Amino acid sequence: MQSVTRGGVPVEVGGEFPTVGDTAPAFTLTDGELKELSLSDFSGRRKVLNIIPSVDTRTCAMSTRKFNEYASGLDNTAVLIVSADLPFAQSRFCGAEGLDRVVTLSCFRHPEFRESYGVALQSGVMAGLCARAVIVIDEQDRIVHAELVSEIKNEPDYEAAIEALKS
């Protein structure tokens, strides 16, 4: 089992985190209109999965804003914000912030996502949420960048994710 930290305290993370070169695991998640979307709904496009614990935390809100900004300059790319938040909270946050270039998806109905993507926080006060991670997937659903952020309160390496899209 892998781990990350929260304020320096180890937190167990379940599942198998994907690596560059892997085929992205299939998923089904729930969007802001309570519609089920799957990886295949984004077929033929590049995908950035910004996986976060909750839009209601400072770092998660910041990364959602930054990826929304980056999304404006990305061709043929879907930027997906994935968390265990209810779709209503995700939509409320994006609406209040004017974020309209990202797609919010919730794993509240599909906890298997956390395991299949290796981001299942299993200990500590955030157990049941997603660890912070960024996964970039190409048009053929191959993983070209994968970062499991080692300290939950830290931001991901945005430049590395965007650079992977240019390769």
Side-chain angles (χ1 to χ4, degrees), residues 42-118:
F42 302 95
S43 181
R45 298 173 71 189
R46 299 175 302 171
K47 284 82 56 185
V48 176
L49 276 61
N50 181 36
I51 304 168
I52 59 175
S54 173
V55 294
D56 288 323
T57 65
R58 185 185 64 78
T59 305
C60 297
M62 194 176 324
S63 71
T64 300
R65 286 184 204 106
K66 284 189 180 181
F67 275 114
N68 185 74
E69 182 181 324
Y70 284 123
S72 65
L74 301 173
D75 293 329
N76 194 38
T77 304
V79 178
L80 312 176
I81 309 299
V82 181
S83 72
D85 290 307
L86 290 176
F88 312 116
Q90 294 173 329
S91 294
R92 174 187 36 77
F93 172 79
C94 287
E97 294 281 331
L99 307 179
D100 59 359
R101 295 183 178 108
V102 296
V103 176
T104 55
L105 297 170
S106 175
C107 61
F108 86 108
R109 286 185 184 153
H110 301 282
E112 69 279 359
F113 172 86
R114 296 190 296 269
E115 288 289 329
S116 65
Y117 274 83

Side-chain angles (χ1 to χ4, degrees), residues 16-27:
E16 186 72 28
F17 192 72
T19 59
V20 172
D22 289 351
T23 298
F27 64 74

Side-chain angles (χ1 to χ4, degrees), residues 125-145:
V125 298
M126 297 178 79
L129 299 178
C130 298
R132 184 177 318 288
V134 175
I135 299 171
V136 178
I137 305 168
D138 72 10
E139 297 92 331
Q140 291 79 39
D141 292 339
R142 292 299 235 192
I143 295 174
V144 296
H145 173 79

